[in-house]
Amino acid sequence: MSKVAIVTDSNSGITQKRGEELGIYVLPMPFFIDGELYLEDITLSQEQFYEKQGADSEISTSQPSPGDVMDLWDKLLEDYDEIVCIPMSSGLSSTCETALSLAQDYDEKVQVVNNQRISVTQEQSVYDAIKLRDEGKSAAEIRQVLEKEKMQASIYITVDTLKYLKKGGRITPAAAAIGTVLNLKPVLQIQGEKLDAFAKARTVKQAKNLMIEAMKHDFAERFHDPEGKSMHLEMAYTYDLDAAEAFRQEVQEAFPGLEIHMDPLSLSVSCHIGPGARAIACSRKIKL
């Protein structure tokens, strides 16, 4: 049986410390803030990021350099036979496409998973990869399972402010101005490849209810599992843990008996939606 290393990036929400505990490897996502390079969870903490975002610093996302990616792969292949690499969704970043291109020079020893996940759903893919590896699956077999299941996940997000959607060009200045005056709380969705509009709410409470009902609908109609017995239920948030915990209680009441996994949203997403966002997500359990 080959020895398989598992690599992901910090868009999964897995910290460097958690990666060490799991025995996996986490590539930090780079950010340029006022022209200076920072690495998520290494030279840039969640607290520092939101402090700089609140100060209206100029923030842009980037991707790990090809050299850094290859250096990690080369080092791992000294001790492992194969690598499974699980980057963020190819629909949200070029990180995955870059990794796929680099992997062509590794004679199939590096299997890059293009499974359209980010944040807590990408994190679950890492846990699934660990289980598959421990069951004796090869890197190629792990990739095939994860890609087969790639669309069996769903994310709904509501934002506290339209400022960062406007800044990132996700909505027009006019739409942002109208939405701000009306105090609209948009609900966004990630169904695989990209971030899209889902609904508009007039209050935070309405937005939260919309997300819960959307998830109930997905459980029943999309996954044919209204009780969620075959589903992972997940949540994520930006900056405001107290508000996230309060929403978690509401979600738990709507889905009694299900365990909820919650983590901060990755900073690549936070860059575009700002603090105070809340998300509910799910992914279908894989069959080992």
Side-chain angles (χ1 to χ4, degrees):
M1 185 173 71
S2 64
K3 190 177 180 183
V4 180
I6 296 172
V7 175
T8 189
D9 57 48
S10 58
N11 285 305
S12 65
I14 299 176
T15 63
Q16 295 296 321
K17 181 180 178 182
R18 179 62 174 151
E20 290 177 8
E21 293 170 350
L22 293 169
I24 65 158
Y25 304 87
V26 182
L27 277 163
M29 294 303 292
F31 291 80
F32 285 93
I33 303 179
D34 294 331
E36 187 174 347
L37 176 65
Y38 292 85
L39 298 176
E40 183 170 5
D41 196 38
I42 292 182
T43 58
L44 181 67
S45 68
Q46 289 259 331
E47 293 76 16
Q48 290 169 327
F49 174 86
Y50 290 113
E51 181 181 336
K52 292 179 182 296
Q53 191 177 54
D56 282 332
S57 294
E58 191 63 37
I59 303 175
S60 61
T61 57
S62 186
Q63 60 173 303
S65 73
D68 287 344
V69 174
M70 295 173 72
D71 284 347
L72 175 61
W73 290 355
D74 290 342
K75 183 178 179 181
L76 290 177
L77 288 172
E78 293 176 5
D79 298 314
Y80 293 87
D81 302 307
E82 299 178 295
I83 296 170
V84 174
C85 181
I86 308 173
M88 71 183 292
S89 170
S90 61
L92 296 168
S93 169
S94 57
T95 302
C96 184
E97 293 300 330
T98 298
L100 285 166
S101 177
L102 295 176
Q104 292 178 11
D105 293 332
Y106 282 81
D107 298 323
E108 299 187 350
K109 290 183 179 180
V110 178
Q111 297 288 323
V112 177
V113 180
N114 184 9
N115 75 329
Q116 311 296 354
R117 303 286 180 93
I118 191 170
S119 185
V120 285
T121 58
Q122 181 184 353
E123 181 179 3
Q124 184 57 52
S125 290
V126 173
Y127 297 147
D128 291 340
I130 292 171
K131 289 181 180 179
L132 290 166
R133 179 196 62 190
D134 293 347
E135 287 288 317
K137 300 291 186 185
S138 68
E141 289 171 329
I142 294 170
R143 176 185 59 77
Q144 289 163 6
V145 171
L146 296 184
E147 289 185 349
K148 181 181 178 182
E149 293 292 315
K150 68 180 182 180
M151 300 305 291
Q152 306 306 316
S154 185
I155 301 177
Y156 297 95
I157 308 170
T158 187
V159 301
D160 189 53
T161 174
L162 299 173
K163 175 180 177 179
Y164 301 99
L165 289 172
K166 171 190 171 184
K167 193 172 183 178
R170 297 279 180 176
I171 59 173
T172 66
I178 293 171
T180 300
V181 169
L182 296 177
N183 198 30
L184 292 179
K185 303 295 180 185
V187 176
L188 311 172
Q189 63 178 333
I190 301 177
Q191 304 290 349
E193 293 188 355
K194 56 184 179 179
L195 184 70
D196 286 318
F198 177 72
K200 294 177 183 176
R202 295 298 296 269
T203 64
V204 172
K205 182 178 180 180
Q206 185 183 24
K208 292 191 292 184
N209 288 338
L210 278 169
M211 291 195 292
I212 289 172
E213 291 305 313
M215 191 57 65
K216 284 183 176 179
H217 181 270
D218 282 355
F219 271 36
E221 301 299 327
R222 183 176 168 195
F223 301 110
H224 309 292
D225 185 8
E227 295 182 5
K229 292 180 179 180
S230 64
M231 304 300 297
H232 295 288
L233 184 59
E234 301 136 349
M235 294 181 65
Y237 64 95
T238 59
Y239 188 66
D240 193 340
L241 177 58
D242 290 340
E245 288 289 1
F247 184 37
R248 182 178 187 163
Q249 293 302 314
E250 296 177 49
V251 174
Q252 190 69 77
E253 291 173 8
F255 296 91
L258 292 188
E259 182 180 349
I260 300 173
H261 176 83
M262 186 169 76
D263 271 331
L265 272 163
S266 64
L267 296 183
S268 291
V269 177
S270 305
C271 186
H272 297 293
I273 62 178
R278 305 167 183 86
I280 181 172
C282 72
S283 50
R284 191 166 66 180
K285 296 176 181 178
I286 61 168
K287 297 178 181 179
L288 296 176

